[in-house]
Structures are given as C-alpha cells and as structure tokens.
C-alpha cells in the first residue's frame, strides 16, 4: 500500500499544479483582454489542453480513491458474498475498458499524432504530448483496480 500512497500523492500534486497553471492562464487571459486591450493568443489553447489533463488524470485519481460515480442498486440488495463478487466483476470490467479504450486506444492516438507530426496551432506543442494522458491514466486506473482486487481477496 505504500506504493499506492506515493502514486496518489504524485498524482494529487500534479493535479494541483495543473489547476494552478490553469488559474494563472485564465487570469492572464482576462488581464490581457481587458487591461491591455489585446487578448493573448495562446491562453485558450493552453486552457483547453490543461483541462483535458485535469479531467482525465482526475478521473484516474478519483478511481484510485474509490470516489467515482457508482450505481449500487444490486450490491445494496445483495448479501456480502454476492457484493464481493459484483465488486470484482465491476473492477474487471473497468480494467478491460481501461486496457482497450485508454491504454491501447490512447497509445494508438499518441502514436498516430506523433508519426503525423501534428502540432497545436498556437503553442506548437506536439499533440502526442497532449494525448499522452490517456494511456497514463488508463495504466493508473488499471493499477488501482488490480490493487483493489488483491486487497479485497
């Protein structure tokens, strides 16, 4: 569990940093638009990419803390043995989704945008770097769910 706490702390600090950069970015946009009379050209794009990272990485963090949205109609009406089985089934489904959609699909997206050398228009950042959050978050969620399964055995 020590590793899990370290990963949680790293992800939480990264999310705090990204949110801080987003706040500064938006403040600069407002300042440049209203006080300088000329809006900054990169702030909209940076805010969009930071929001992608916060959303997807935040989902991994929330999944690790088991604070994600869940419909618990079946488990609440079942006995404890059935609840454990349902919990394992749900965690296995989450692992499968993360493997296929986030890790494999996200890695393919990163690879394609890297090979095609796609860059963002204003920042000239490789879009592969923006999309890298997909496989990273997928691996994090898979780690958390595998850890949960092993802990609850």
């Amino acid at each position: 569990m020590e590793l899990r706490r370290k990963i949680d702390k790293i992800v939480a600090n990264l999310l705090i940093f990204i949110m801080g950069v987003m706040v500064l970015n938006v403040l600069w946009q407002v300042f440049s638009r209203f006080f300088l009379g000329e809006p900054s050209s990169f702030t909209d794009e940076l805010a969009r990419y930071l929001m992608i990272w916060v959303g997807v990485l935040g989902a991994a963090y929330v999944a690790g803390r088991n604070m994600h949205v869940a419909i618990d109609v079946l488990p609440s009406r079942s006995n404890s043995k059935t609840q454990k089985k349902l919990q394992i089934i749900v965690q296995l489904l989450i692992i499968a989704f993360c493997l296929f959609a986030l890790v494999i699909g996200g890695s393919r997206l990163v690879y394609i945008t890297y090979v095609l050398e796609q860059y963002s228009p204003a920042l000239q950042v490789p879009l592969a770097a923006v999309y890298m959050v997909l496989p990273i978050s997928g691996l994090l969620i898979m780690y958390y769910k595998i850890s949960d399964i092993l802990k609850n055995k």
Side-chain angles (χ1 to χ4, degrees):
M1 277 304 171
E2 185 64 32
L3 176 63
R4 186 173 178 143
R5 264 188 245 134
K6 286 182 182 179
I7 291 173
D8 280 345
K9 189 168 178 80
I10 291 169
V11 174
N13 288 332
L14 183 58
L15 288 167
I16 290 168
F17 175 76
I18 294 170
M19 285 297 295
V21 172
M22 280 180 65
V23 168
L24 293 175
N25 181 53
V26 171
L27 287 174
W28 174 251
Q29 171 65 13
V30 170
F31 178 79
S32 66
R33 176 174 290 167
F34 291 109
F35 294 105
L36 301 179
E38 192 171 315
S40 182
S41 61
F42 70 89
T43 52
D44 180 52
E45 193 171 279
L46 181 59
R48 188 177 320 122
Y49 296 151
L50 291 174
M51 184 62 92
I52 291 170
W53 271 75
V54 163
V56 179
L57 200 58
Y61 180 74
V62 168
R65 305 287 301 223
N66 286 317
M67 295 170 43
H68 48 77
V69 176
I71 300 171
D72 62 349
V73 174
L74 284 177
S76 64
R77 295 180 183 195
S78 304
N79 60 31
S80 63
K81 188 176 180 181
T82 306
Q83 283 180 357
K84 263 192 168 181
K85 287 179 183 178
L86 285 171
Q87 191 175 28
I88 290 174
I89 290 169
V90 167
Q91 289 169 341
L92 289 173
L93 289 171
I94 291 171
I95 291 169
F97 172 79
C98 288
L99 175 65
F100 293 112
L102 296 176
V103 176
I104 295 172
S107 297
R108 290 183 69 192
L109 179 62
V110 169
Y111 176 74
I112 289 169
T113 55
Y114 178 77
V115 168
L116 295 176
E117 297 179 358
Q118 294 181 343
Y119 291 89
S120 66
L123 294 172
Q124 289 301 304
V125 173
L127 288 179
V130 175
Y131 299 140
M132 185 62 79
V133 73
L134 293 170
I136 291 171
S137 294
L139 289 171
L140 280 171
I141 294 170
M142 288 173 61
Y143 166 75
Y144 285 135
K145 295 304 152 190
I146 290 170
S147 172
D148 287 344
I149 289 172
L150 294 176
K151 182 180 78 174
N152 293 331
K153 269 194 163 183

